Amino acid sequence: MKYINKRLTVEKVNFQRIAKKFGTPFYCYSFSKLRENVNKFKNNFKSFSPLICFAVKSNTNVYLIREIKKFGLGADVVSLGELMMALKAGIKPNKIVFSGVGKTFDELKFAINKKILLINAESLSEIMVINKIAKLKNKKVRVGIRLNPNTDAKTLKQISTGKKENKFGVNKNTFQKIVDFCKNSKNIDLKCLSVHIGSQILDHKPYEKMLNSVSQILGKTNHKFEFIDLGGGMGINYSDKKESLNYKKYNAAINNFLKKHKVKIIFEPGRSIIGNTGTLISRVIYIKDSGKKKFIILDAAMNDLMRPALYGAFHRTLPVIKSNKISNKTYEFVGPICESTDKFITLKKFQKLKEKDLIAICDVGAYGMSLSSNYNLRPKPIELLIKGSKINIIRKRQKHTEII
Ligand code: LLP
């Protein structure tokens, strides 16, 4: 994304043109950025060619998943809906892993029928249900066990998953119990140990710690695992500072690990693949002066992009048409929803805005549209995929008639 003739442009189209044609708010993704992210991700770990399973929860658009599939990626899913969507996008079952703490009987039955690569179980009770279904169907089911390594991912507490107080995975003792159970079962083929310690991780050290814990457990457990699924969580740079995960160090730690353990590595990245490919474009409806600051009331709201309200997440916010005039008042960018947390960002020294101007909220490809809702009975925005100068509609704008 860059300014060409003062207009913010993605690939070969400027957002102003798109807004004129499709209205606002809209989500817009860049295909070339997506390709670049996938290539970078593959390159970072090329010495051991992992199986990369895209975390569908980060973006569930079937067209985007289809593009991701064409790059050779599989899918990490956490519900029947996501599993069906991954299959619809054409991802082969032997490249799908299924995580989640509360998979129901029906979800597990469907996954078993589809013969997906792995069901990553997160409790002894879940293993019992898998065993029961497999027995009924006279099948042997490939299973992973998700370990809770009690590692602090050093990220937001709301998106941290690998500490013992988090509901995810099982502790070392339960892990061993499940291994013993699986070994005695004719219907379970224990293939994988999985971990995922959190999301938006920018420090490689928690990953090193996680690998140490996994290594220790593998040393103690007398079982040969074929796969180690290291989850996702690789953070991206949301800020203007240059923050990034040190992939070289993470890669080195994994290579070290692989010297001791002959296993195939699986990753489940979401944000690092799709996060910075997406932008939310919104129009200023009204500007309200409240004395100290001005409220910039946008036509996008927390139902379209929940991250700031939910986590206090920061998203770079830019004018779609650049000018040199700077406002002397603080701007608070808000949506029309009846909640005080319906607020995107507060900025000082933003360029002077007027009603009907366009605003770009950046890096919303992951957990943007997938977390959206119809709160206040607002229809969901249209999604567009830009390929060079081509604009593809990849999800229509929801109509009021569909939700009323
Ligand atoms: N694997 C598992 C088991 C997960 O739970 C997650 C994310 C991922 C993979 C993908 O993580 P990623 O590479 O995208 O960090 N809504 C939050 C993020 C929640 C992440 C949930 N699990 C946000 O907007 O930041």
Side-chain angles (χ1 to χ4, degrees):
M1 241 167 47
K2 54 178 179 294
Y3 286 98
I4 300 177
N5 295 333
K6 302 201 168 171
R7 279 169 175 73
L8 194 60
T9 304
V10 55
E11 302 204 11
K12 290 188 178 145
V13 245
N14 72 57
F15 287 120
Q16 189 193 28
R17 213 183 96 204
I18 307 175
K20 242 184 218 162
K21 191 157 179 195
F22 296 99
T24 51
F26 63 86
Y27 271 92
C28 188
Y29 304 91
S30 158
F31 177 75
S32 69
K33 196 77 196 165
L34 177 64
R35 187 175 47 204
E36 181 188 316
N37 289 347
V38 172
N39 287 339
K40 270 193 188 159
F41 195 95
K42 285 184 181 170
N43 254 329
N44 284 328
F45 302 110
K46 65 170 182 285
S47 59
F48 55 88
S49 355
L51 171 64
I52 307 168
C53 293
F54 173 65
V56 169
K57 67 171 81 65
S58 63
N59 195 307
T60 56
N61 189 293
V62 71
Y63 289 89
L64 292 175
I65 304 170
R66 221 169 255 161
E67 299 293 356
I68 288 167
K69 178 230 145 190
K70 288 189 210 150
F71 295 129
L73 273 58
D76 157 52
V77 300
V78 291
S79 68
L80 177 59
E82 286 189 7
L83 174 51
M84 290 164 89
M85 194 61 108
L87 292 168
K88 186 173 174 183
I91 296 187
K92 293 274 175 299
N94 65 4
K95 282 190 174 180
I96 299 180
V97 298
F98 192 177
S99 321
V101 292
K103 304 178 202 80
T104 63
F105 185 91
D106 288 344
E107 288 182 311
L108 290 167
K109 201 166 85 184
F110 186 91
I112 289 170
N113 281 340
K114 290 291 174 196
K115 301 195 182 87
I116 65 168
L117 177 63
L118 287 167
I119 298 174
N120 286 335
E122 303 211 21
S123 61
L124 187 54
S125 305
E126 184 185 344
I127 285 284
M128 297 300 182
V129 176
I130 297 172
N131 194 49
K132 188 172 161 189
I133 302 169
K135 219 172 183 175
L136 282 172
K137 295 190 169 285
N138 205 14
K139 280 189 174 169
K140 197 153 187 168
V141 177
R142 282 180 301 271
V143 158
I145 311 172
R146 178 160 172 191
L147 173 75
N148 183 323
N150 194 18
T151 306
D152 186 350
K154 302 259 188 296
T155 181
L156 289 174
K157 74 171 190 316
Q158 299 98 317
I159 52 175
S160 172
T161 53
K163 287 183 79 183
K164 66 174 187 287
E165 59 262 35
N166 301 128
K167 68 181 173 184
F168 303 97
V170 296
N171 64 24
K172 286 186 226 162
N173 295 341
T174 313
F175 185 86
Q176 189 55 51
K177 272 188 208 153
I178 299 181
V179 172
D180 295 339
F181 177 87
C182 292
K183 281 180 147 179
N184 291 320
S185 162
K186 286 193 223 69
N187 301 94
I188 288 190
D189 187 4
L190 180 56
K191 288 269 188 200
C192 176
L193 182 160
S194 82
V195 272
H196 171 79
I197 55 173
S199 201
Q200 184 53 15
I201 298 171
L202 287 165
D203 180 356
H204 63 279
K205 287 186 212 87
Y207 282 127
E208 287 177 351
K209 279 194 190 148
M210 166 187 96
L211 284 165
N212 277 338
S213 301
V214 173
S215 194
Q216 270 178 22
I217 294 247
L218 289 179
K220 283 190 198 142
T221 308
N222 49 345
H223 182 76
K224 173 94 190 75
F225 288 93
E226 187 177 332
F227 301 102
I228 301 294
D229 180 343
L230 295 175
M234 297 81 171
I236 61 169
N237 180 30
Y238 281 109
S239 71
D240 296 322
K241 296 172 250 149
K242 281 260 172 288
E243 290 180 327
S244 65
L245 174 67
N246 190 330
Y247 278 92
K248 266 198 181 137
K249 291 203 168 147
Y250 188 19
N251 178 56
I254 299 172
N255 275 308
N256 235 351
F257 173 89
L258 289 173
K259 280 183 199 147
K260 283 176 265 164
H261 310 283
K262 299 275 165 277
V263 291
K264 182 149 178 71
I265 298 293
I266 299 175
F267 285 121
E268 303 170 353
R271 195 189 313 267
S272 50
I273 299 295
I274 201 80
N276 63 3
T277 69
T279 312
L280 175 62
I281 305 292
S282 177
R283 205 178 276 286
V284 178
I285 311 176
Y286 299 121
I287 298 181
K288 182 155 74 171
D289 198 329
S290 77
K292 270 199 174 150
K293 60 186 174 190
K294 277 188 176 173
F295 290 105
I296 307 296
I297 304 170
L298 301 175
D299 64 0
M302 66 191 280
N303 74 299
D304 304 302
L305 175 67
M306 178 96 141
R307 301 193 72 252
L310 200 55
Y311 314 113
F314 173 91
H315 285 274
R316 278 180 308 128
T317 301
L318 304 170
V320 165
I321 298 174
K322 215 174 186 169
S323 81
N324 305 324
K325 290 182 200 134
I326 303 296
S327 165
N328 52 8
K329 279 220 171 156
T330 298
Y331 281 172
E332 190 161 308
F333 292 85
V334 301
I337 282 185
C338 310
E339 299 268 355
S340 293
T341 55
D342 183 22
K343 181 169 105 179
F344 293 113
I345 198 165
T346 306
L347 293 172
K348 281 181 188 155
K349 296 195 179 125
F350 201 80
Q351 82 173 40
K352 253 190 190 156
L353 287 175
K354 51 186 190 324
E355 294 175 356
K356 295 196 173 63
D357 277 354
L358 292 167
I359 287 299
I361 305 177
C362 303
D363 309 316
V364 296
Y367 310 106
M369 189 64 174
S370 69
L371 268 168
S372 68
S373 77
N374 289 122
Y375 188 38
N376 280 197
L377 272 188
R378 290 167 49 88
K380 293 195 185 187
I382 188 172
E383 287 184 289
L384 305 162
L385 175 62
I386 309 300
K387 280 185 178 177
S389 52
K390 212 165 173 263
I391 308 169
N392 304 280
I393 301 174
I394 55 171
R395 193 192 315 251
K396 287 185 188 154
R397 187 180 299 286
Q398 223 174 18
K399 292 195 178 95
H400 280 100
T401 46
E402 290 168 48
I403 52 173
I404 294 162

